[in-house]
Amino acid sequence: MNKILGIDCSPHVNKSVLELLGGKVSIHNDPFQEGMSLNGYEMVILEAGRDQQYNVQQIRSLRYASNFRYLPIILVRSTGNHIPSQVYIMAGATEVLTLSDSPHACGQILNGYLIPNRKPLQEEWEYLTPFVKNTCNVLETMASLRAEFEDVYFSNGIKMFGDVSGIMGLSGNAEGTLVVTFYWNLAQKVIAKMMGIEEDKLDAELIHDGVSEIINMISGSTKREFVGTPYHFEITLPSVVVGSGHQIGHVHDTAIAVLIFRVDSQYFSLYVSIKPKTTT
Amino acid sequence: MHHNTYILLINRDKRVLETTHSTLCKAGYLVLKATDTDDALCLLNAIRIGLIICDNALRDSTGREFLTILKKDPLLLSIPFIFFVPVNDRERASEAFAIGASDFIVHPLDDKILIERIREIMPLGPGMHHDTTIQAGEDTALPETSGKVILERDDRRESERKCPLASVHIEISRDGVLWMPGQLQNINRQGIFAETSLLGKPGSVLHIKILLSDEIRILKGSIKHITFSNPQHPTGIGIEIEETQDWRDAHEMLAALMRTEDPEAMDIKDLQTDLGTHDSINTIILPYHKQKMPDPSPLLNDVGMMSEETLDVRFYHSLVGKQLGNYKAVSFIGAGTMGGVFKGWDVALERTVALKVISYKLSSHETFRNMFIKEARTISQLNHPNIAHIYYIGNMNEIIFFAMEFIHGKTLADLIKEYHNLDISRGLQYFITVCLTLDFVSKKNIIHRDVKPENIMITDKGMLKVVDFGVAKITDGRTREINSDGIVGSPLYISPDCIKGHSVDCRSDIYSLGATFYHAFSGSPPFEGKDTEDVLRKHLHENPVPLQQINPHISHGLSMIIRKMMDKEPENRYQNYQSIIDDLEPLMAGNTKFH
């Protein structure tokens, strides 16, 4: 039975969600709190209140608490209104459902998100493993930090919910996108260690240089391992982006792997979307 | 800025509120009042606000807290925010800048000075009357902090005020591929000052796209200085732009925008207005890999992605990266009228498959669900070299899907897009092959019901495959099947009998096949319309333009074959595929000789 966390959900929303999912889930209800634990839940249902700003804040907070792991956050509205769901999606909601929409569609969407995630195929591990190894190596050698690979899942888009992200376009034989995204505290810690200075001395230039260097090193070292394989790519100029809730396009018909790493008790993620020129 | 944009005044002190309100109204502005954040947010959600003037002391909160809320809201953060600061509390002004205020005004303040300051930020539109002669300034200088990175924002009153330029859309890129949206804050002859999420450092080379009404200017520049407070706020960057004619022209237009009292009269496209929303830095979907630098395609051509996606597409997206039974959904290929298709992987047999998930609209009907499962099992036993095999049909969490042969190649629809219309000789070969295939299918008493260019594939090795029997129907071969499932098929190719809900047999597929090859040989479908209903109406009541009129290379014979296939009455169409093949083969021979 799937475990769902219902946040600020009215009895009406609880009942509706249970009906949509055919009663095959257990919903645990809690009021919203900053920093609430989401461990053990496979989905979060948040009922939209009248205060849009507060809902956006709640979603941001929940997305942060998910620590980059796969956790569908579904905002449920009792009735449709004029506020576009994009506002909530960019704050970190996975889906915004309105109970006045087709119940069958809502049920299928919720069911879809509850279906177990797939593991990478053998051929996907072939290109993901070097990224995992080199990401850990880069943090070890550049910042003397031990990064552990925690998990991988596949996403339907490159949506960056970290505070600072480094983006590298891949071109050449294989094309794609590589994105590393950190929460602010970990970014500061890593960059300060890389640069050998105190965290409070970091400025925009150092952050830019540090994140650029990390994504450059990860892609550069992995690129060398792919020489002579269908995954061999060329790297472009890295871009560094601040703020959460950015989404970038990706190569059509290509899987987007989200690799999650842990440094002590903090997390960061690496998006890998790569399409070899010739598919087999 | 729109001429009927309002100023929102927020102050706990009703006396100050009334006085300021009266002053601004007399100066020609449209002004709204609020004493607390609740009222202010209601007004912000309901009415287009172009400027906020807010005191720190509000009835339910503080101005700083209110500003913090606004700056976290993608819809509202771009609205210029002016802080009212008591004369003895200027310290608060620099704090306000750190969280994103555009400017501050010290009160008590002389009315004339107040109006001057407001005019600089928000010139009067054409719908507002003028009783002063103060004009918006032009060419406000960029902050002279060359080569420095500023972590805390200082008093920026003279240098970084919000201005009508905020409505001009720009994008900024490091590599010319990934474009980040930005908000233009100020210009001078040397360059621009903009807010963006793209971080850089002094000296970094940037590309800047400026969207004008009918063109895009792509300029090159380098970062002169950066202001950055924390990751929750966009970075402010001063960019020195290379002196080119393009920049001189763009600068002239932008400067004119600042001078004009009617910014909309300038030919600058206000994308925010077009979108009906204040798109902010964080809410734009960035077209990576889709927008190459030399391509002057409209900026934000992916804004469509931001609009509400259909429930069907959202449903398919929920399945990306999932495992349905023995099948992994590897990547999403696309959505059709009947379902969404994924590239999949068969875990048990270790082979690539195409996974088709049935649209919720179809699977929500129990009768259809049952029929679909029963019939897909039968169809899976079809064994023909030109039919993509169905391997498996499954149901997981009430989601119906089937796995079928994955074909590396292109659809007939892709070929039509690529070549506009098909080479006649090659088209005839495909036409005959599909007829032979559907002849085999019809002899098994099966109707495909979704014959269209997207469901005819040509493999990399040149083999033709008819795919997607997901909505196929089995008949008893004697009576004509009553179409109890409602309208099934794709509007551009659907037969009139199917639209009417009449009984269907292979002649319904023959109509759709005629429409498919009409499209293939002419480059456009037989009927197009403003919406689905319009297209369906034309299928019922109008004749398509004769094929020969659209493509003069088509022989009269081929044009007549397709016309007969598309007759409104099934009785007047070809009654079986063999008779079509009999008529096509002589044309094929003629074309072979011709070529």
Side-chain angles (χ1 to χ4, degrees), chain B residues 163-287:
Chain B
C163 63
L165 293 173
S167 64
V168 178
H169 190 81
I170 63 164
E171 292 187 353
I172 301 168
S173 174
R174 281 278 283 134
D175 59 3
V177 181
L178 170 70
W179 291 90
M180 293 297 299
Q183 284 182 350
L184 194 53
Q185 302 293 319
N186 218 330
I187 60 164
N188 71 5
R189 288 198 168 78
Q190 283 73 49
I192 63 170
F193 184 79
E195 285 191 344
T196 174
S197 294
L198 190 73
L199 200 58
K201 63 178 186 175
S204 297
V205 173
L206 294 178
H207 305 280
I208 305 104
K209 267 185 195 172
I210 301 180
L211 179 75
L212 303 171
S213 62
D214 54 353
E215 59 177 323
I216 294 170
R217 300 274 170 148
I218 298 177
L219 308 161
K220 207 169 167 187
S222 62
I223 299 180
K224 287 290 282 181
H225 59 85
I226 303 170
T227 57
F228 173 75
S229 53
N230 66 57
Q232 267 70 50
H233 294 115
T235 312
I237 50 174
I239 306 169
E240 186 172 46
I241 297 181
E242 276 182 10
E243 181 68 23
T244 60
Q245 190 56 45
D246 260 2
W247 167 236
R248 282 191 288 273
D249 293 347
H251 174 263
E252 202 171 298
M253 293 191 76
L254 295 171
L257 173 69
M258 290 185 75
R259 274 194 302 271
T260 182
E261 291 177 351
D262 176 12
E264 286 187 321
M266 295 309 299
D267 227 9
I268 304 290
K269 187 170 174 64
D270 184 347
L271 257 190
Q272 296 180 351
T273 306
D274 285 357
L275 291 169
T277 171
H278 300 261
D279 48 314
S280 75
I281 283 159
N282 280 14
T283 59
I284 305 294
I285 296 176
L286 304 169

Side-chain angles (χ1 to χ4, degrees), chain B residues 458-510:
Chain B
I458 290 90
T459 70
D460 292 341
K461 292 175 182 165
M463 184 88 174
L464 185 142
K465 297 267 184 183
V466 177
V467 302
D468 198 353
F469 283 76
V471 289
K473 198 168 182 69
I474 300 166
T475 66
D476 63 10
R478 294 187 303 276
T479 57
R480 292 169 67 191
E481 196 68 23
I482 294 296
N483 192 5
S484 54
D485 312 319
I487 295 179
V488 174
S490 299
L492 291 175
Y493 312 97
I494 196 168
S495 69
D497 12 332
C498 193
I499 298 170
K500 288 176 187 165
H502 289 175
S503 55
V504 290
D505 55 25
C506 76
R507 293 172 298 180
S508 177
D509 278 354
I510 284 174

Side-chain angles (χ1 to χ4, degrees), chain B residues 492-493 515 518-519 522-528 550:
Chain B
L492 291 175
Y493 312 97
Y518 182 100
H519 190 172
S522 70
S524 32
F527 302 113
E528 290 177 290
I550 303 174

Side-chain angles (χ1 to χ4, degrees), chain A residues 53 60 70 85 95-96 108 113 115-119 156 169 176-177 240 242-245 247 249 252-253, chain B residues 72-73 197 199 201 231 282 286 288-289 306 308 314-315 317-318 321-323 328-329 331 333 360 364 398:
Chain A
Q53 282 74 27
R60 283 200 180 120
Y70 178 82
S85 49
E95 181 56 77
V96 179
Q108 294 249 308
Y113 283 112
I115 289 177
N117 288 336
R118 72 178 179 89
K119 292 291 170 210
N156 57 22
T177 310
V240 177
V242 290
S244 172
Q247 180 171 338
H252 175 69
D253 181 19
Chain B
K72 284 181 183 167
D73 186 319
S197 294
L199 200 58
K201 63 178 186 175
N282 280 14
L286 304 169
Y288 205 26
H289 295 293
M306 291 171 64
E308 307 286 298
R314 286 155 60 187
F315 162 50
H317 282 178
S318 75
K322 300 293 185 176
Q323 180 157 348
K328 293 181 175 184
S331 57
I333 294 173
Y360 78 88
S364 59
E398 305 300 317

